[in-house]
Amino acid sequence: MNIKNKVIAITGGASGLGYAMAERLGEQGAVLALMDKSAATLDEAISKLAVQGINAHGFPLDVADKHSVTKAFADIADRLGPIDGCVNNAGITDDALLLKVKDGVVAKRMSLDAWQRVIDVNLTGVFLCGREAAGQMVESGKGGVIVNISSISRAGNMGQTNYAAAKAGVHALTVTWAKELAKYSIRTATVAPGFIDTPMTATMRPDMYEKIAGSVPLKRLGEADNIAQCVAFIVENDYFTGRIIECDGGLRM
Ligand code: NAP
């Protein structure tokens, strides 16, 4: 797909990796529908992108809320026309061990709330937004591309029962959609980032940050644009579907 003048939606597009994707796809001429939780953060991101000559529009939503998602995607179609691409990027963490044990006694457990919050945003959110995006692509008759953002943690990671399960699910639904939607000329693929410098990783304790950076074969965290490059590759490459790009500096969980 030639990115120029294509309408591409990015969830979580006002911050971190989503913002870097907006910069890269916007520089290549995409018309961007940035979707994020906070209208104020969206306005700020769109003003910054406008300075770079990037054509971006804001659509506040909660990816975990069916009505909010339906409305936001309908608003995009009304204002910009049916979408050609959708990057399901919005995500959160809420880490905890399944069980915290002290002297053989369970002192704490991952709460059902923490489990549900992360599943709702990181997995149900991808399902809801992907379903709306695919619907528009089918009905426009143009097809399109859906890129889902998973994580290196999909292989299982200490303290991330909820996040790892959601991110493994994200790749499973990508492969399923690639099989179901190919007949409508819709491709779907996954990018699985390793540890990347964004506001999400900025909340790590400095000692944890150093430990993780030291464990990466390249000895540093990735930059947001490294992931944006993977997304742009998938959007442009018309023979890439149902597969995953792992961009993690060589780190294995
Ligand atoms: P980020 O900087 O925290 O950005 C995530 C964006 O998503 C924020 O703008 C956030 O808004 C928004 N968001 C959160 N919940 C939402 C909801 N319910 N509805 C709409 N928007 C919502 O995170 P990031 O590091 O760029 O991560 C982007 C994606 O990459 C996530 O899926 C993450 O799991 C994945 N990932 C990141 C890394 C990494 O090292 N950074 C590694 C692997 C995978 P608020 O800030 O207002 O909450």
Side-chain angles (χ1 to χ4, degrees):
M1 178 186 289
N2 181 344
I3 290 172
K4 196 166 172 54
N5 295 327
K6 295 296 189 304
V7 177
I8 300 183
I10 305 173
T11 69
S15 164
L17 300 186
Y19 184 80
M21 293 167 202
E23 282 187 305
R24 182 165 275 273
L25 298 173
E27 277 161 10
Q28 291 180 243
V31 177
L32 297 169
L34 293 196
M35 311 176 87
D36 215 305
K37 236 167 53 189
S38 147
T41 318
L42 274 171
D43 286 346
E44 211 177 295
I46 285 159
S47 305
K48 276 199 298 183
L49 291 166
V51 173
Q52 298 174 58
I54 291 171
N55 185 1
H57 307 258
F59 298 87
L61 91 167
D62 176 355
V63 295
D65 180 282
K66 183 177 84 170
H67 299 292
S68 170
V69 169
T70 311
K71 183 180 179 315
F73 275 85
D75 288 348
I76 296 175
D78 283 349
R79 278 171 57 191
L80 307 176
I83 61 170
D84 301 289
C86 175
V87 188
N88 287 312
N89 163 76
I92 58 169
T93 52
D94 196 343
D95 295 354
L97 292 171
L98 181 68
L99 301 177
K100 207 166 182 182
V101 179
K102 211 172 168 200
D103 302 327
V105 176
V106 175
K108 222 174 161 189
R109 307 185 300 172
M110 175 180 272
S111 70
L112 179 58
D113 274 359
W115 164 264
Q116 200 60 57
R117 239 187 330 272
V118 171
I119 295 294
D120 285 351
V121 175
N122 294 12
L123 184 57
T124 307
V126 174
F127 162 71
L128 290 173
C129 294
R131 192 174 61 163
E132 288 308 309
Q136 282 190 22
M137 290 170 188
V138 168
E139 290 185 354
S140 74
K142 293 189 295 177
V145 57
I146 298 172
V147 184
N148 297 322
I149 305 303
S150 175
S151 167
I152 190 171
S153 297
R154 78 193 183 288
N157 191 26
M158 290 273 291
Q160 293 197 311
T161 294
N162 47 7
Y163 187 81
K167 293 300 190 181
V170 163
H171 185 55
L173 61 78
T174 304
V175 177
T176 303
W177 292 351
K179 292 177 178 172
E180 290 185 7
L181 300 174
K183 60 173 171 281
Y184 307 111
S185 302
I186 299 170
R187 295 182 294 108
T188 66
T190 308
V191 178
F195 290 93
I196 312 293
D197 256 325
T198 70
M200 188 183 262
T201 43
T203 58
M204 272 192 295
R205 282 197 333 254
D207 57 319
M208 278 303 290
Y209 184 102
E210 288 309 321
K211 198 172 159 203
I212 286 171
S215 68
V216 179
L218 288 179
K219 298 292 171 213
R220 58 185 163 80
L221 269 66
E223 291 168 14
D225 187 56
N226 297 140
I227 304 307
Q229 274 179 299
C230 299
V231 172
F233 168 81
I234 291 168
V235 173
E236 287 190 294
N237 190 317
D238 290 325
Y239 201 57
F240 195 87
T241 196
R243 296 291 177 263
I244 191 162
I245 297 181
E246 300 175 303
C247 187
D248 48 29
L251 184 64
R252 270 277 173 279
M253 286 296 179

